[in-house]
Amino acid sequence: MADLTSNFLGISSPNPFWLASAPPTDKEYNVRRAFEAGWGGVVWKTLGAEGPPVVNVNGPRYGAIHGADRRLLGLNNIELITDRPLSVNLEEMTRVKKDYPDHALIASVMVPCEEDAWKEIIPRIAETGCDGFELNFGCPHGMAERGMGSAVGQVPEYIEMVTRWCKAATDLPVIVKLTPNITNILHPAQAAKDGGADAVSLINTINSITSVNLDAMSPEPMIDGKGTHGGYCGPAVKPIALNMVAEIARNPGTHGLPISGIGGVTTWRDAAEFMALGAGNVQVCTAAMTYGFKVVQEMISGLSQWMDEQGYNSIDEIVGRAVPNVTDWQYLNLNHVTKARISQEDCIKCGRCFAACEDTSHQAITMSEDRVFDVKDDECVACNLCVNVCPVEGCITMETIAPGAMDERTGKPVADEYANWTTHPNNPSATAAE
Amino acid sequence: MAHINRENGVAAGRLDPTQVADNFTDLHPEYDGHEALVAADRCYFCHDAPCMTACPTSIDIPLFIRQIATGTPEAAAKTILNQNILGGMCARVCPTETLCEEVCVRETAEGKPVEIGRLQRYATDTLMASNTHPFARADKTGKSVAVVGAGPAGLSCAHRLAMLGHDVVVFEARAKGGGLNEFGIAAYKSTNDFAQRELNWLLSIGGIEIRYGQSLGDGITMGALQSDFDAVFLGMGLSAVNALGMDGEDKDNVSDAVDFISDLRQASDLTALPVGRRVVVIGGGMTAIDAGVQAKLLGAEDVTIVYRRGQEAMAASTFEQELAQQKGVTLICNATPVGVEGNGSLTGVTFAYTETQDGKLVTLDETFTLPADQLFKAIGQKLGDTPDALTLEGGKIKVNDAQRSSVSGVWAGGDCASGGDDLTVTAVAEGRDAAMDIHATLMGAR
């Protein structure tokens, strides 16, 4: 049976599933129950400076978008960092860590961008026995207006500076949590690395308005007739997070920098995907907020089963395994030809593939009087839209046309050799092959 | 323990009122808002959807379900009613299991179709509850049309004509409108006086007058209607019933199932309606099922539906057959009646087994007798007397694709006309299509 033990940055945890810094990790009661439910670690909800804590709104904090059957696909929030006194949090963290020495407990921190503020709080928090720090440079709402959170994460120089302060203030691992609200994730990641960060974690939430109340003409969540942008998370953000994780993992300057993957992890498969793209572990929030702490049991059993089936013995064997296959568009093999294939046995005759192809794509699917749908190989460009809109998984698949066989669309046989855009005759800057 | 009256013969009050009320509640209870959203979510919004093709009135089902899913059931209702003004009743009585839901791709995929009928009811009920009518009359054309029969075909035709600006007078033989919606159809499919509520709502468009107690040959004649109106639509249904044609058919407690169903629908107190202890129904269609099930629900101890052919040949859908069996009704197939037993009052019915040989139904020698206090005949309805000028086809008024009869200026639709199944939804489609052709004819002639 596969060993799920995680040793991210030397921090041991029974499995690679950590709860992200968020409402689920705001207090001892929750964290104890999370550990009992099976979570490998938690990043305690972000601690702020000593003094009167921040306050939260007293109206709704969350907005959401739903898929079919009101499945929660995306959640946004306008909640701030912990609104409980620092001392209370520290006492609770100390107690929890003492009782769960084998579980990871990371302290998320956010104080003003002043060296003294960081240098003072980091050692104080370290006294709890926590395993490391996560610098919250990500929250895009509320705290950013006060020069913290994403206001820091959007300026690489600040990231590097604050990271350096923290590294000087502790021997414990320092993880820098990145905001996705930037144009190129590599700059903040590089800055964290340059500042001495032991790892980056990403993504934090994405600036968003989830919906508009059309009666009140206000964004949701609505507080007394007004709304503000909040941080978006949940299954809907996973593709954005995966790309940013992969970019950091494959970029020569940041390659090898440990990554804690965050963003819409809902199932074991999501976690495996993050890790395949270079994340050493994953952090989860929305799935727990939607289904409760018990979801981790599926993540554990699923990852374990998949690893056994694949013959992977440890987490390390998965991490980064797909990174070599992430490339630039220009290097994709233009001689690779596929065609859509519709399984008539599985087809339920809804016609969505036809509507999609006929109305919005390449008119490559025919529909007979008795609703039999077929692919016209001479028109099919293998765009995959039919596969994506088909409600029956596995009904439509893409078949690779073997080299030498005719591509009915081009009228030419499929070439055997790899050829990409860099050498394509239509590319004005192509380097001639000969 | 509920009181059960096991007295032999035909008697009222076999069950206590609570039990009867419970037995006759909605067969498919209405969705609440949450249930409707969950059900609507299952629709795939198919291209050229099979459900829409299967609907005799061609309702754009994927569109109306999407309108429900997006929080606009009133718009969904308008999509439905635009094609089928009796969409509320059809949502309740359509044999969806052999129409839209049978061909739903989720029936193919999972053996569980989108519940189109109940979603349609949710939409139309929501709209009707708002006391609004989604259609307005066009400017008056100055034309007037006579409609014979205030059943589904006649009402559908009348509404569409009124909407197009014509004045309509509907002549109805009975004292109430609605046709089979009011007098046929099992009570558990149309609860809370829905047929009358729908009728009143339909009439709220204006321009439709109903004259009750008048039928062809009784107060009106086709000739008079032709001279008094610009066009005539016949939608009087099937007013006669088939007879067994055997001795003893006139015994006490031997009656037509349609009369029992009608009496039941019109009864103000179901516990006052007498029913036999042991009931036999002869027939294999919806009427047989409706009569048999309702007899059982009234408290009959044994109810047996006997059909002369095999079960696969029954006109009643599989769903209806299963409903009957679920309610405790026994189905016997391949048996034909050969004797009505009893001196004066009915005591039993004797059947002979049948079998199909070389495509022909043959009556065998072996017989059996079912003890019975009450016998309902549900072996089909037929056209009543019709004006000689009309050409008939297969015992019905012959019409073309536009519902025109053989007589110029006279259209027909619904059960009395040739073509289509004898279903409410088919009658609505035919009435509507006749109205469109009448409109085109009248306006083209101007």
Side-chain angles (χ1 to χ4, degrees):
Chain A
M1 178 148 163
D3 178 10
L4 294 191
T5 306
S6 167
N7 204 25
F8 188 68
L9 310 180
I11 303 166
S12 169
S13 60
N15 60 55
F17 305 110
W18 290 6
L19 281 172
S21 169
T25 61
D26 194 24
K27 54 179 180 289
E28 181 176 358
Y29 175 81
N30 291 17
V31 173
R32 282 183 184 274
R33 293 183 65 244
F35 284 158
E36 291 300 324
W39 292 92
V42 302
V43 182
W44 201 276
K45 170 117 173 155
T46 306
L47 307 171
E50 180 76 277
V54 302
V55 296
N56 271 301
V57 294
N58 296 298
R61 301 175 190 187
Y62 305 115
I65 64 164
H66 296 100
D69 212 10
R70 210 174 148 82
R71 191 148 301 196
L72 196 145
L73 297 184
L75 184 73
N76 93 347
N77 82 87
I78 56 169
E79 184 172 292
L80 303 184
I81 62 175
T82 184
D83 54 10
R84 305 185 320 144
L86 178 63
S87 58
V88 172
N89 277 307
L90 296 181
E91 284 162 21
E92 292 186 2
M93 289 166 70
T94 307
R95 280 200 296 270
V96 171
K97 184 60 202 179
K98 187 158 166 284
D99 288 350
Y100 294 89
D102 298 332
H103 288 64
L105 195 158
I106 308 296
S108 174
V109 194
M110 180 196 288
V111 291
C113 220
E114 297 153 7
E115 187 169 5
D116 288 348
W118 289 93
K119 283 194 162 168
E120 187 202 346
I121 199 168
I122 293 285
R124 188 170 167 202
I125 297 170
E127 289 169 14
T128 61
C130 69
D131 298 298
F133 295 94
E134 185 179 80
L135 313 186
N136 183 344
F137 297 159
C139 281
H141 51 272
M143 302 309 288
E145 298 169 14
R146 306 174 200 179
M148 292 180 266
S150 66
V152 177
Q154 288 169 334
V155 183
E157 292 79 2
Y158 291 174
I159 294 174
E160 184 181 339
M161 177 177 72
V162 178
T163 306
R164 210 178 287 285
W165 293 339
C166 294
K167 279 300 289 179
T170 181
D171 292 331
L172 292 172
V174 172
I175 305 166
V176 172
K177 189 166 182 178
L178 302 179
T179 174
N181 299 301
I182 38 81
T183 50
N184 184 346
I185 197 66
L186 294 177
H187 295 302
Q190 185 67 51
K193 188 183 177 192
D194 292 346
D198 295 283
V200 289
S201 57
L202 70 159
I203 58 174
N204 202 309
T205 55
I206 302 172
N207 252 330
S208 60
I209 289 175
T210 46
S211 60
V212 175
N213 183 319
L214 290 177
D215 295 321
M217 283 296 167
S218 157
E220 296 279 12
M222 178 172 74
I223 310 289
D224 192 23
K226 303 235 184 274
T228 186
H229 62 88
Y232 194 48
C233 56
V237 311
K238 185 186 117 182
I240 296 164
L242 282 179
N243 175 57
M244 289 185 169
V245 165
E247 286 300 295
I248 292 171
R250 79 187 183 100
N251 171 57
T254 49
H255 178 75
L257 178 64
I259 300 168
S260 185
I262 313 169
V265 175
T266 309
T267 67
W268 70 267
R269 184 179 290 276
D270 298 327
E273 290 173 11
F274 268 93
M275 291 193 277
L277 285 178
N281 73 357
V282 293
Q283 296 184 30
V284 177
C285 174
T286 310
M289 291 183 72
T290 309
Y291 304 110
F293 289 144
K294 199 173 87 173
V295 276
V296 75
Q297 292 174 15
E298 166 268 310
M299 296 181 190
I300 291 168
S301 65
L303 186 67
S304 181
Q305 180 182 327
W306 172 75
M307 286 174 64
D308 286 345
E309 285 166 0
Q310 298 291 323
Y312 297 123
N313 297 308
S314 70
I315 296 295
D316 289 346
E317 290 177 33
I318 318 170
V319 176
R321 215 170 174 91
V323 174
N325 293 327
V326 183
T327 187
D328 292 342
W329 192 96
Q330 62 182 336
Y331 300 125
L332 298 174
N333 184 3
L334 296 174
N335 282 343
H336 179 73
V337 178
T338 61
K339 300 287 178 191
R341 292 290 173 256
I342 301 172
S343 161
Q344 300 301 337
E345 199 175 307
D346 295 321
C347 177
I348 60 171
K349 307 197 183 304
C350 69
R352 293 216 316 211
C353 59
F354 176 82
C357 192
E358 187 70 14
D359 289 0
T360 69
S361 294
H362 297 83
Q363 295 77 49
I365 294 180
T366 58
M367 174 179 169
S368 71
E369 284 276 315
D370 56 344
R371 300 186 73 83
V372 173
F373 300 91
D374 271 315
V375 176
K376 292 161 72 180
D377 279 4
D378 57 339
E379 297 291 349
C380 178
V381 303
C383 72
N384 213 40
L385 182 62
C386 55
V387 174
N388 298 138
V389 301
C390 176
V392 180
E393 190 172 354
C395 175
I396 310 182
T397 50
M398 283 293 164
E399 181 191 26
T400 299
I401 306 299
M406 183 67 75
D407 178 351
E408 300 289 343
R409 188 177 68 86
T410 59
K412 293 176 186 160
V414 174
D416 199 4
E417 68 275 15
Y418 161 87
N420 65 42
W421 175 245
T422 62
T423 56
H424 195 278
N426 289 14
N427 181 355
S429 50
T431 47
E434 49 192 328
Chain B
M1 186 66 195
H3 167 75
I4 295 173
N5 176 354
R6 291 200 179 84
E7 184 186 332
N8 281 341
V10 176
R14 289 195 178 273
L15 297 178
D16 65 45
T18 326
Q19 182 70 53
V20 170
D22 193 40
N23 282 354
F24 282 88
T25 51
D26 248 325
L27 183 60
H28 302 293
E30 60 191 320
Y31 277 145
D32 65 23
H34 168 72
E35 290 172 310
L37 288 178
V38 171
D41 256 349
R42 295 188 68 236
C43 175
Y44 282 146
F45 203 73
C46 294
H47 171 76
D48 191 14
C51 54
M52 191 174 163
T53 309
C55 175
T57 54
S58 306
I59 292 171
D60 193 338
I61 293 164
L63 177 61
F64 94 66
I65 293 180
R66 191 173 168 85
Q67 288 167 320
I68 291 173
T70 54
T72 53
E74 296 82 1
K78 191 165 180 183
T79 299
I80 295 160
L81 298 165
N82 196 42
Q83 289 295 112
N84 180 339
I85 196 65
L86 296 180
M89 181 60 87
C90 288
R92 290 162 165 79
V93 305
C94 257
T96 52
E97 65 279 2
T98 61
L99 297 170
C100 52
E101 292 179 15
E102 180 180 45
V103 297
C104 175
V105 301
R106 300 209 73 157
E107 170 67 25
T108 312
E110 296 127 40
K112 189 173 183 301
V114 174
E115 291 194 301
I116 298 167
R118 292 180 77 185
L119 283 165
Q120 176 165 320
R121 176 172 170 183
Y122 174 75
T124 51
D125 280 8
T126 302
L127 182 94
M128 284 177 67
S130 70
N131 263 327
T132 56
H133 195 94
F135 305 109
R137 290 192 75 189
D139 291 342
K140 283 197 174 195
T141 60
K143 306 284 185 186
S144 64
V145 181
V147 169
V148 181
L155 291 175
S156 166
C157 183
H159 183 275
R160 182 57 61 108
L161 288 167
M163 195 171 96
L164 293 167
H166 308 291
D167 287 325
V168 183
V169 178
V170 181
F171 298 91
E172 167 56 45
R174 306 221 206 195
K176 272 167 116 174
L180 287 181
N181 289 355
E182 175 61 37
F183 297 96
I185 294 168
Y188 45 78
K189 292 179 189 170
S190 171
T191 56
N192 298 323
D193 207 19
F194 183 75
Q196 290 308 300
R197 286 193 287 126
E198 186 178 46
L199 171 64
N200 293 333
W201 170 85
L202 179 147
L203 294 177
S204 68
I205 192 168
I208 304 172
E209 177 198 349
I210 304 190
R211 295 181 192 163
Y212 293 102
Q214 296 189 55
S215 60
L216 286 183
D218 182 11
I220 49 169
T221 64
M222 196 168 90
L225 294 180
Q226 283 177 282
S227 57
D228 292 348
F229 294 88
D230 297 301
V232 177
F233 175 80
L234 303 177
M236 60 281 206
L238 303 173
S239 59
V241 290
N242 292 325
L244 291 170
M246 60 198 303
D247 290 342
E249 202 170 338
D250 56 349
K251 283 191 200 303
D252 287 349
N253 301 328
V254 177
S255 59
D256 292 313
V258 290
D259 292 336
F260 170 64
I261 293 168
S262 172
D263 289 347
L264 194 150
R265 284 293 303 277
Q266 299 307 309
S268 55
D269 175 9
L270 286 179
T271 58
L273 196 69
V275 70
R277 181 178 179 193
R278 286 159 303 197
V279 175
V280 170
V281 184
I282 297 173
M286 296 291 213
T287 303
I289 300 279
D290 284 355
V293 170
Q294 294 190 108
K296 186 75 189 169
L297 297 179
L298 279 178
E301 192 173 314
D302 288 319
V303 178
T304 310
I305 295 175
V306 186
Y307 177 54
R308 63 193 180 123
R309 296 181 188 276
Q311 192 166 352
E312 71 289 343
M314 285 184 97
S317 68
T318 306
F319 171 83
E320 293 285 337
Q321 295 171 34
E322 288 173 358
L323 174 72
Q325 288 168 325
Q326 183 199 339
K327 298 294 182 192
V329 173
T330 306
L331 296 184
I332 295 178
C333 294
N334 281 112
T336 189
V338 292
V340 179
E341 315 300 334
N343 296 319
S345 272
L346 178 74
T347 58
V349 188
T350 301
F351 294 88
Y353 286 109
T354 68
E355 143 184 317
T356 305
Q357 296 172 358
D358 302 328
K360 276 189 167 176
L361 193 69
V362 177
T363 304
L364 306 175
D365 292 338
E366 191 183 347
T367 63
F368 62 93
T369 301
L370 293 176
D373 307 302
Q374 193 169 27
L375 171 62
F376 293 128
K377 297 174 287 179
I379 52 173
Q381 293 158 258
K382 58 185 181 182
L383 199 57
D385 292 337
T386 46
D388 294 338
L390 293 166
T391 303
L392 302 187
E393 181 180 66
K396 295 191 169 192
I397 299 168
K398 184 181 179 185
V399 292
N400 70 3
D401 288 347
Q403 304 301 132
R404 293 183 188 204
S405 76
S406 59
V407 176
S408 175
V410 178
W411 284 254
D415 291 356
C416 71
S418 63
D421 294 326
D422 287 352
L423 295 173
T424 302
V425 65
T426 307
V428 172
E430 291 173 358
R432 175 199 69 194
D433 294 347
M436 295 311 293
D437 194 57
I438 291 169
H439 176 68
T441 304
L442 296 185
M443 303 315 282
R446 189 163 56 179

